[in-house]
Amino acid sequence: MLFRAYTLTIDSAIDLQLPAAEGKADIVFEKAQFPKAKQFQTLIYRKGVRATFGGDAEEAILDWEGIARFKALGGNRLQYENLTDDEGVFRLFVLSEALGTVLFQRNLFLLHGSAVMTGAKATIFIGRPGAGKSTTVSAFAQQQHTILSDDLTVVWFDANGQPYVLPGFPELKIWESAVDNLGFDKSVLEPAFEGHNKFLYRQPEANFPIKPIPLEQIIILQRPYSSQVGSLKLTEAPVELFRHFPLPTRLLQGKYLQRHFEDSIRIKRAVPILKVPRPKNFLLLKKWIEQWPSAI
């Protein structure tokens, strides 16, 4: 079966429940068994299970004990071992850091954050855990804005070095508190298989873009009363964006760290990177988005 995600065509025997695609596959998912390499602990958790990392940037292994093991090869193959009987859980793991590692191998720039389309351009929201990224983009979705990516945002540069967001796939994981306070109809939502109180919201597939969207800005969400606000300096961008790298940091060594540094500078030169305090409650969040972009 052929599926589309991040403007790429994926050939997978697993039903990824993504938009259908045609033509030649850019990435192939294949069932395999591979020996266990030396493993290192990461800061990546899914369903409360901590991932380990093995291999290197060219042949990267991610392992969640008892759930799944993956090997990303050359930016065009993802091998997997499914260790769980729950198809929804396995799909969650396939479409998160595992796919992200293949995208990293394709020289794309990755952030742990969400991207929203407003007008014809994209805004990326990043922030420390608890900063309110998921709740913020949920509020955008509730007001009929297209969410381009959830958790994993991918940036591509054109021949002129201009940054674009690659649309991921038309679904979003929403906290139960956001469902209750933002007016979502819980009866049409699905469980998100995260092990938390999250639901899966599917956006209309017909309206989901299939081409890269120009990046307008990156917003670093701060706590409501934070004094750390304003635009990042050019020299601050690499360190700040490094903090929001979604994959094992062992990938960022040598030429890969240099690439991440140079891409961070390119992004900052092209668009503003702003520290912005998030609204302190759901009511103010709704008003904030209604007034977008003048709210920032």
Side-chain angles (χ1 to χ4, degrees):
M1 294 179 282
L2 296 178
F3 302 95
R4 186 179 67 250
Y6 300 103
T7 72
L8 299 169
T9 298
I10 299 172
D11 184 352
S12 171
I14 309 164
D15 185 1
L16 300 176
Q17 300 177 33
L18 299 181
E22 297 179 348
K24 183 179 178 180
D26 301 294
I27 301 171
V28 176
F29 290 179
E30 55 189 20
K31 190 175 182 179
Q33 289 187 328
F34 36 90
K36 198 165 186 176
K38 183 179 180 181
Q39 302 286 296
F40 299 92
Q41 296 284 357
T42 74
L43 297 177
I44 299 169
Y45 289 85
R46 290 276 169 192
K47 286 186 70 64
V49 180
R50 188 176 190 176
T52 57
F53 172 79
D56 54 31
E58 282 76 27
E59 294 190 7
I61 295 175
L62 278 173
D63 189 341
W64 284 270
E65 186 174 359
I67 299 177
R69 297 180 68 214
F70 301 96
K71 179 188 280 189
L73 295 160
N76 55 31
R77 280 195 295 157
L78 181 67
Q79 297 181 341
Y80 62 86
E81 292 186 44
N82 184 359
L83 306 176
T84 177
D85 295 328
D86 192 321
E87 293 181 1
V89 168
F90 185 65
R91 176 180 176 272
L92 167 69
F93 280 74
V94 170
L95 295 177
S96 55
E97 290 83 10
L99 175 56
T101 305
V102 182
L103 299 174
F104 172 81
Q105 292 175 335
R106 298 180 71 89
N107 295 326
L108 296 166
F109 187 87
L110 275 58
L111 286 170
H112 180 205
S114 303
V116 175
M117 186 173 178
T118 56
K121 294 189 176 182
T123 294
I124 298 173
F125 290 94
I126 58 177
R128 298 292 180 90
K133 299 185 297 295
S134 295
T135 299
T136 299
V137 297
S138 298
F140 273 97
Q142 200 276 336
Q143 295 194 29
Q144 309 307 310
H145 292 282
T146 297
I147 309 304
L148 300 171
S149 60
D150 175 29
D151 276 351
L152 178 68
T153 292
V154 178
V155 177
W156 166 79
F157 297 92
D158 70 7
N160 297 317
Q162 293 302 302
Y164 290 72
V165 171
L166 298 186
F169 38 89
E171 61 184 48
L172 173 69
K173 295 183 289 294
I174 305 177
W175 288 103
E176 186 172 21
S177 59
V179 171
D180 293 336
N181 286 280
L182 293 174
F184 287 93
D185 182 356
K186 190 180 292 186
S187 67
V188 301
L189 302 180
E190 305 171 30
F193 304 102
E194 280 273 19
H196 304 297
N197 295 325
K198 279 191 172 182
F199 293 87
L200 197 62
Y201 169 72
R202 297 189 185 276
Q203 302 179 101
E205 186 176 316
N207 299 331
F208 195 76
I210 61 173
K211 294 182 179 181
I213 304 300
L215 178 61
E216 184 171 27
Q217 61 195 340
I218 296 178
I219 303 293
I220 308 170
L221 287 172
Q222 306 292 100
R223 297 188 184 277
Y225 300 107
S226 174
S227 60
Q228 297 184 25
V229 298
S231 179
L232 254 62
K233 298 177 182 177
L234 182 66
T235 54
E236 295 175 320
V239 174
E240 183 62 45
L241 297 185
F242 178 88
R243 294 191 181 108
H244 303 284
F245 183 64
L247 304 177
T249 54
R250 284 183 173 272
L251 288 168
L252 294 179
Q253 298 185 28
K255 65 180 181 180
Y256 300 100
L257 180 59
Q258 180 179 346
R259 188 184 82 198
H260 193 274
F261 180 94
E262 292 171 349
D263 285 349
S264 298
I265 294 293
R266 283 204 284 177
I267 289 173
K268 174 55 187 169
R269 283 179 171 157
V271 302
I273 303 177
L274 307 171
K275 290 186 175 181
V276 176
R278 76 171 192 268
K280 64 181 180 179
N281 58 46
F282 286 102
L283 180 60
L284 292 177
L285 176 59
K286 289 180 181 179
K287 292 181 178 179
W288 193 63
I289 293 171
E290 288 169 0
Q291 297 168 4
W292 191 268
S294 61
I296 60 169

